Amino acid sequence: MSGTGQLPDSRLVTLYRTWSQGGSRLLITGNVMVHDAAMTGPGGVVLDGAVAKLGE
Protein backbone atom coordinates (compact mmCIF):
# COMPACT_ATOMS: atom_id res chain seq x y z
CA MET A 1 0.00 0.00 0.00
CA SER A 2 2.83 2.35 -0.73
CA GLY A 3 2.70 5.31 -3.02
CA THR A 4 5.44 6.92 -5.06
CA GLY A 5 8.91 6.08 -3.81
CA GLN A 6 7.59 3.36 -1.50
CA LEU A 7 6.26 5.98 0.92
CA PRO A 8 2.98 5.68 2.79
CA ASP A 9 0.18 7.30 0.82
CA SER A 10 -3.40 8.34 1.52
CA ARG A 11 -4.67 4.74 1.26
CA LEU A 12 -2.49 3.65 4.17
CA VAL A 13 -3.39 6.73 6.21
CA THR A 14 -7.08 6.07 5.56
CA LEU A 15 -6.71 2.42 6.60
CA TYR A 16 -5.07 3.27 9.93
CA ARG A 17 -7.53 6.10 10.56
CA THR A 18 -10.42 3.68 9.98
CA TRP A 19 -8.91 1.12 12.35
CA SER A 20 -8.28 3.74 15.04
CA GLN A 21 -11.86 5.03 14.86
CA GLY A 22 -13.05 1.49 15.50
CA GLY A 23 -12.11 1.79 19.16
CA SER A 24 -8.72 0.06 19.16
CA ARG A 25 -6.34 1.21 21.85
CA LEU A 26 -3.25 -0.35 20.30
CA LEU A 27 -2.47 -0.75 16.61
CA ILE A 28 0.51 -2.93 15.77
CA THR A 29 1.82 -2.86 12.24
CA GLY A 30 4.05 -5.23 10.40
CA ASN A 31 5.95 -5.42 7.15
CA VAL A 32 7.21 -1.83 7.18
CA MET A 33 10.79 -2.04 6.04
CA VAL A 34 13.56 0.22 7.34
CA HIS A 35 15.80 -0.41 4.33
CA ASP A 36 14.80 -0.85 0.70
CA ALA A 37 17.06 -3.92 0.34
CA ALA A 38 14.75 -5.86 2.66
CA MET A 39 11.60 -5.66 0.52
CA THR A 40 9.32 -8.68 0.74
CA GLY A 41 7.22 -7.83 -2.30
CA PRO A 42 5.78 -5.05 -4.44
CA GLY A 43 3.78 -2.28 -2.82
CA GLY A 44 5.64 -2.40 0.48
CA VAL A 45 6.37 0.69 2.56
CA VAL A 46 9.98 1.68 3.25
CA LEU A 47 10.92 4.08 6.04
CA ASP A 48 14.68 4.51 5.82
CA GLY A 49 17.16 7.34 6.24
CA ALA A 50 16.41 8.73 2.79
CA VAL A 51 12.75 9.11 3.75
CA ALA A 52 13.66 11.09 6.85
CA LYS A 53 15.45 13.62 4.64
CA LEU A 54 12.26 14.29 2.66
CA GLY A 55 10.81 16.15 5.65
CA GLU A 56 13.78 18.52 5.93
Side-chain angles (χ1 to χ4, degrees):
M1 296 186 79
S2 66
T4 304
Q6 297 171 313
L7 298 173
D9 67 4
S10 62
R11 297 173 301 159
L12 194 61
V13 171
T14 299
L15 174 65
Y16 277 88
R17 181 176 291 125
T18 300
W19 284 346
S20 68
Q21 291 171 347
S24 296
R25 298 292 180 237
L26 178 64
L27 297 175
I28 300 173
T29 187
N31 206 30
V32 174
M33 300 298 116
V34 295
H35 193 279
D36 64 357
M39 296 304 296
T40 59
V45 174
V46 178
L47 301 177
D48 65 4
V51 172
K53 293 177 183 177
L54 291 174
E56 295 178 353

